[in-house]
Amino acid sequence: MAGLAAKFGSGAMTNSVAEIETAKALLVIGSNTTENHPIIALRMKEAVRKGAKLIVADPRKIPLTKFATLWLRHKPGTDSVLLNAMMNVILAEGLEDKNFINERTEGFAEFADSLKEFTPEMAEPITGVPAEDIRKAARIYAEAENAGIYYAMGITQHVMGTNNVHAVGNLAMLTGNLGKPGAGVNPLRGQNNVQGACDMGSLPNVYPGYQKVDSPEVQKKFEAAWGKPLSSKIGLPASLMTEAMIEGKLKGMYIFGENPALSDPNTHHAVKGFESLEFLVVQDIFNTETTDLADVVLPSASFAEKTGTFTCSERRIQKVRPAIASPGEAREDLAVISEIYQRLNGEAVTVPDPEAVFAEVASLWPGISGVSYERLEEESLQWPCPSADHPGTPYLFKEMFPREGGKAQFTVVPRVISSELPDTEYPYLLTTGRELFHYHTGTMTRRSTGLDAVAPTAFIEINPADALKLGIADGDQVNVSSRRGTIKLPTRVSEIVPPEVVFIPFHYKEASANKLTSDALDPICKIMEAKVCAVRIEK
Amino acid sequence: MITLTIDNKTVEVVKGSTVLEAAKKLKIDIPTLCYDSRMKPHGACRLCIVEIEGMRRPVTSCTTPAEQGMAVTTTSAHLERLRKTTVELLLSDHPNDCMVCIRAGSCTLQELAYKYGIRENRFGGAMRDHNRVDENPFIMREQNKCVLCGLCVRVCEEVQGVSAIGYAGRGFEAKICSPFEHDLNCEFCGQCVSVCPTGALSAKMWAGHPRHEGVELTETTCTYCGCGCNITLHSLGNEITRVSSRTDNHNRGWLCVKGRFGYEFINSEDRLTTPLIRREKGGALEPASWEEAISLVVDKFSAIKEKHGADALGGLASARCTNEENYMFQKLFRSAIGTNNVDHCARY
Ligand code: SF4
Ligand code: SF4
Ligand code: SF4
């Protein structure tokens, strides 16, 4: 997120899902779209049927490769080198959009200079992608009238995630693929309301609507609205909280609707953090690995029992409506949070009205001031939507970028490598991800009998060549160890992964891949390196 | 643009439109079984036949391009007779099962039988027996109720891109199945179930719940991934009995396996139903009242803030919960507690 916001002034998906089918070329990188964003993948398949060229860059033979014009099987963690090499080709062959670069961007000269060393021949041994394929990919993407880039956690959950995001942004800028339909830079959000959680200011450095906590004017505005003095000190990001708990700087935590004791990379460490706390409150619909550590557990309502809004990947705000009553004494999160808020403030406790809460946000964030429950009854709206008669914005940056000066910023992306690469002791590169039939830590999907029946156990995907070397047959139980821990699970011998790379889905608590992964942090946006780490496999 | 008349009404459509699309624009109802505007026309059921001036025989309107100056008739005694015969033929080897059929009340074939008043069948004869048990966990297949409209095969290929099912056999023995009639092993998106016009395809999870009586429908948004699909929850009392999706929304009625079939967690026995408190460190979580639980939270937060300052408290919000809840949560931390230590777990 930090990456895109710095370049464009906004970190959301620039374009819309429906536009995908009008794109002439698509570059999908670090996103197993078919399994993680199935309905967005349908649009991609439709685009291909309509003649669009699809480039898939992924170490794994993900289902989308079946529809690809070109599949680049780069080594995990080499995304930015691959992208830089594509841009080197674009400049070498004069395929860049000179008008766009001149009129709508800044920082080009220095950036162009930085690409010189990234020739396809230099990138080939690093990425494992033949130089000729890099050239082909560059031409397909740059020659298309409009081309969209789609990515997900596959490129962001790395030590160099921010660099990767800068690189995809640079690529779109270089070819003028911004501010028009069916193009853009499109981060696909993993969970239903990641976009909304960010929009609402569930981030340590910004208030709702990305208004900075360390800006004095912004602080004044929110102090006036909320009637309390506020802190101008940027807060701790989630990834630094564990350390702060262990060090005793954080004494009390309140977690709602999340299960970080299982989902955090390097879960041992996370659990240790929660155990060091003086007081932990967890609010959820189920008992989880995190409620196990809590001092107080508060039962929530599920989405089927509440009123509110979700904002999906394409910035679309949509209504959530209650169909049934909650079981037992479970209560809506909003009511619980609001009661704690009021009691801490010494105010009388009242029942909150979601519509009034939404209106309050709309009054503080101009980007959605035209959105109201009344309008959402009839339609869903994509922000920015600044006035009541504004139709919403399917794609961003048509006229300008919301940065000072109105231009997008090229960013030099140096060569960085993963903090942990295979060596003789831990010779395999582990990548983790989701599978179609489960979601996150499985608390919901594993309670659905059908889903659990088709995908009942964790597994490790391993290439047949490696299986042969290790004397392992399909279905054998193996121990997988990293510098942080060991888990035991059955193998799935499969060509889906290339040699020397293995894959484990992270939904299963009995074989939690996050016991193995690393919590090394991206220095800029503080995302942990959940994607890549080195492991050893033993029978 | 092209101008034509249908049932003496003039309509203008873009070039490339079909006669059926033009009729839809005039809100003229032409019966169909194998048509779905989200897929390529198929022309198999022959119910959408119309008469066009200058053509000797009725033609299928779903596959006939609209042309400038065309004069189309959608209803005549002759057309209705042909349509009725088509339906009678379909019903001739169809089980008379509406009473206990999961699709009754939302079945296109049943509606057609009703429309044409078909009770006794002129063509009674041999019945097909294609039913076999398919052990897959999601999709119930009752092939005896299949009308070979091909919608499921087309949606699986054209929309889902999976091609898990296809045609086998010919003529009377023709049927739709997976390769070698193995149990279905696919993405289980349920797109095929959603387009089936009869009871041939349904969800196993629907069985045992009322079809319509007492069922309420609620339009809402899927809780799983960032695609944000619009879904319709079917509920009876406090139980979710089905999930469907309307074809006129941004996901066009398509869902994935999680959105369509992953709703059992809502009514799971494991749901937390009462606040729990660990009354002593290392002890067990014990049930408590809301008053006791919230008082404890408020007291503890106040005490920690008093002793160590506001920055000794932190919160993790949820990328799964609503905007309103997230807003309130960060407001609680920023304004009532006084710290910016608030984040959510998943940045992407
Ligand atoms: S498929 Fe339709 S016509 Fe056939 S038994 Fe079921 S409801 Fe009746
Ligand atoms: S559930 Fe989906 S993938 Fe499976 S047969 Fe039906 S349409 Fe095809
Ligand atoms: S139905 Fe599937 S694709 Fe659609 S929002 Fe839900 S999880 Fe995502």
Side-chain angles (χ1 to χ4, degrees), chain A residues 33 73 84 101 149 175 208 228 241 294 302 313 319 338 359 398 419 437 443 464 466 501:
Chain A
T33 325
R73 189 175 212 174
N84 275 355
I101 294 169
I149 306 175
T175 49
K228 296 269 284 195
M241 284 182 182
S302 79
S313 251
K319 273 306 289 283
S338 165
K398 190 170 176 192
S419 62
F437 297 106
T443 49
D466 295 328
V501 174

Side-chain angles (χ1 to χ4, degrees), chain A residues 62-250:
Chain A
I62 54 172
L64 209 54
T65 58
K66 204 169 89 188
F67 301 86
T69 317
L70 184 64
W71 171 31
L72 310 174
R73 189 175 212 174
H74 61 305
K75 292 184 190 155
T78 64
D79 310 86
S80 69
V81 176
L82 179 68
L83 292 161
N84 275 355
M86 281 175 66
M87 290 186 266
N88 173 295
V89 174
I90 289 170
L91 286 181
E93 301 190 359
L95 301 173
E96 74 274 24
D97 183 338
K98 294 187 185 71
N99 279 338
F100 188 90
I101 294 169
N102 287 337
E103 282 158 28
R104 304 204 52 190
T105 70
E106 52 197 37
F108 177 68
E110 190 198 348
F111 166 72
D113 228 39
S114 75
L115 287 179
K116 287 209 174 99
E117 59 166 314
F118 291 91
T119 60
E121 280 68 25
M122 171 266 204
E124 179 173 322
I126 298 173
T127 60
V129 179
E132 211 31 53
D133 281 356
I134 297 178
R135 290 201 169 83
K136 264 192 218 151
R139 289 175 200 136
I140 291 175
Y141 176 81
E143 283 169 357
E145 192 184 307
N146 56 341
I149 306 175
Y150 308 88
Y151 67 91
M153 291 200 282
I155 70 164
T156 56
Q157 283 196 338
H158 285 289
V159 174
M160 58 292 197
T162 304
N163 275 328
N164 291 341
V165 172
H166 281 156
V168 291
N170 289 337
L171 179 58
M173 288 162 64
L174 195 62
T175 49
N177 272 307
L178 286 163
K180 61 185 184 188
V185 178
N186 301 289
L188 308 180
R189 306 305 200 153
Q191 300 184 45
N192 59 329
N193 203 30
V194 181
Q195 187 61 52
C198 294
D199 295 350
M200 293 302 118
S202 285
L203 290 167
N205 59 339
V206 288
Y207 291 110
Y210 308 96
Q211 305 177 69
K212 296 197 165 68
V213 296
D214 54 355
S215 147
E217 292 109 86
V218 172
Q219 187 181 340
K220 245 185 247 138
K221 167 175 164 181
F222 280 87
E223 283 177 341
W226 293 343
K228 296 269 284 195
L230 300 173
S231 166
S232 60
K233 187 175 144 205
I234 290 176
L236 285 171
S239 50
L240 293 181
M241 284 182 182
T242 307
E243 208 50 54
M245 291 180 228
I246 294 171
E247 287 169 6
K249 287 186 194 140
L250 269 182

